């Protein structure tokens, strides 16, 4: 148990990649704040899995799109657990539309969760670390689309591109405080965000043709990378993106 004594908050951990991260960190001895929009059965199920993995934690609900909620969830997490050491900004949404049809509401939702939410949750976390004069680590769950265009998902690609530069910027600004900042960038992973894709055999076939390792990723594949970046062995890594994508991003070949 490499991370005994640490406390992590994982946003959006009621399901999917966030849940796998919560459980993986728990296996390393981390106590986990399961953050999600609602304190509901899914969030409670993640907490139960954290306990089964031999650790403990709590559920704290808040909408990451709302900066006031971002500050409140961090305050409540600190009040409940005594401290925070690791922030995993995992909550994310995507909306598909042709560019010319994108609504302001969908644009705002995607940017507010994926970028603004990360910004202000991280700000509240950093204030806590400064007040307690401790270092820590920030790990953002980004996407191959922080680098790779994603036609029909312009707001999503813009949010993840922004997340890449936010990560790089904060890595430099926060290094003097002993805070590392990195992104984990999944490709196509078996999670609810990809439900439509996974139920369409034709889409699946063309997607798999783009993935050199010829399979979708699992939430655990992503969680393993987060556990590494959260640990002391990654203490000299900051400002980096770790791709967990089966080779999707740089796949190009001529027949
Ligand atoms: C998106 C998925 C997409 C995958 C690969 C992810 O960031 O959330 O919808 O399948 O990238 O393109």
């Amino acid at each position: 148990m490499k991370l005994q004594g640490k406390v992590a908050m994982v946003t959006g951990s009621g399901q999917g990649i966030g849940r796998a991260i919560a459980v993986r960190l728990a296996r390393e001895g981390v106590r986990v704040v399961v953050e999600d929009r609602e304190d509901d059965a899914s969030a409670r199920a993640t907490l139960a899995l954290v306990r089964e993995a031999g650790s403990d934690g709590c559920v704290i609900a808040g909408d990451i799109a709302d900066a006031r909620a971002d500050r409140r969830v961090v305050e409540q997490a600190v009040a409940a657990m005594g401290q925070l050491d690791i922030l995993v900004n995992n909550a994310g949404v995507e909306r598909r539309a042709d560019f010319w049809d994108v609504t302001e509401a969908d644009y705002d939702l995607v940017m507010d969760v994926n970028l603004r939410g990360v910004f202000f949750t991280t700000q509240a976390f950093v204030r806590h670390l400064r007040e307690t004069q401790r270092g820590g680590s920030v790990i953002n769950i980004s996407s191959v689309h922080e680098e790779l265009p994603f036609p029909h998902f312009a707001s999503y690609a813009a949010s993840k591109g922004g997340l890449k530069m936010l990560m790089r910027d904060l890595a430099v600004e926060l290094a003097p405080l002993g805070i590392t900042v990195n992104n984990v960038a999944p490709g196509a992973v078996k999670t609810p965000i990809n439900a439509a894709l996974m139920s369409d055999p034709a889409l699946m076939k063309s997607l798999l043709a783009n993935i050199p390792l010829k399979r979708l990723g699992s939430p655990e594949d992503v969680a393993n990378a987060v556990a590494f970046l959260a640990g002391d062995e990654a203490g000299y890594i900051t400002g980096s993106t770790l791709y967990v994508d089966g080779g999707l991003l740089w796949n190009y070949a001529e027949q």
Side-chain angles (χ1 to χ4, degrees):
M1 295 219 273
K2 283 192 282 196
L3 294 166
Q4 193 86 44
K6 305 261 189 211
V7 182
M9 181 163 88
V10 185
T11 67
S13 51
Q15 61 177 7
I17 291 173
R19 174 179 285 175
I21 293 168
V23 174
R24 182 68 181 79
L25 291 177
R27 271 177 33 212
E28 296 297 341
V30 176
R31 287 185 296 140
V32 182
V33 178
V34 176
E35 195 286 333
D36 214 302
R37 221 159 12 137
E38 307 285 343
D39 181 347
D40 59 8
S42 315
R44 292 276 146 193
T46 301
L47 181 59
L49 291 168
V50 162
R51 291 186 171 137
E52 255 173 52
S55 188
D56 202 2
C58 63
V59 172
I60 295 192
D63 182 356
I64 291 300
D66 171 357
R68 272 178 315 174
D70 299 338
R71 289 187 279 272
R72 180 180 52 73
V73 294
V74 170
E75 276 164 24
Q76 288 181 348
V78 170
M81 310 304 289
Q83 71 193 67
L84 280 178
D85 306 280
I86 301 160
L87 172 65
V88 183
N89 288 306
N90 165 77
V93 293
E94 66 183 33
R95 288 290 178 271
R96 186 185 204 286
D98 294 330
F99 174 68
W100 47 92
D101 285 335
V102 174
T103 63
E104 285 184 48
D106 275 356
Y107 174 92
D108 286 345
L109 174 73
V110 170
M111 292 306 242
D112 287 354
V113 176
N114 297 8
L115 190 54
R116 197 171 192 275
V118 173
F119 195 105
F120 288 106
T121 307
T122 303
Q123 185 184 65
F125 173 66
V126 168
R127 285 177 179 167
H128 160 64
L129 292 179
R130 285 188 76 227
E131 276 158 22
T132 52
Q133 297 190 313
R134 293 173 316 117
S137 57
V138 177
I139 300 158
N140 304 315
I141 306 307
S142 175
S143 166
V144 287
H145 301 297
E146 71 167 43
E147 203 66 60
L148 185 69
F150 199 14
H152 314 289
F153 291 88
S155 58
Y156 183 80
S159 74
K160 297 299 186 179
L163 187 55
K164 177 178 71 180
M165 280 312 293
L166 178 62
M167 176 275 290
R168 290 181 182 175
D169 198 85
L170 296 185
V172 176
E173 185 168 347
L174 302 179
L177 304 179
I179 301 171
T180 59
V181 189
N182 294 289
N183 282 7
V184 169
V189 179
K190 278 184 236 154
T191 68
I193 213 172
N194 276 320
L197 178 85
M198 290 185 300
S199 64
D200 182 330
L203 274 180
M204 274 297 283
K205 195 166 171 244
S206 75
L207 176 64
L208 287 176
N210 282 331
I211 302 176
L213 288 181
K214 293 289 172 244
R215 66 168 176 91
L216 294 194
S218 69
E220 291 71 27
D221 289 325
V222 181
N224 287 336
V226 174
F228 167 65
L229 286 173
D232 291 343
E233 287 164 348
Y236 197 58
I237 302 177
T238 195
S240 287
T241 295
L242 180 48
Y243 293 98
V244 183
D245 69 346
L248 169 70
L249 176 59
W250 301 121
N251 183 24
Y252 173 76
E254 292 189 8
Q255 298 315 312

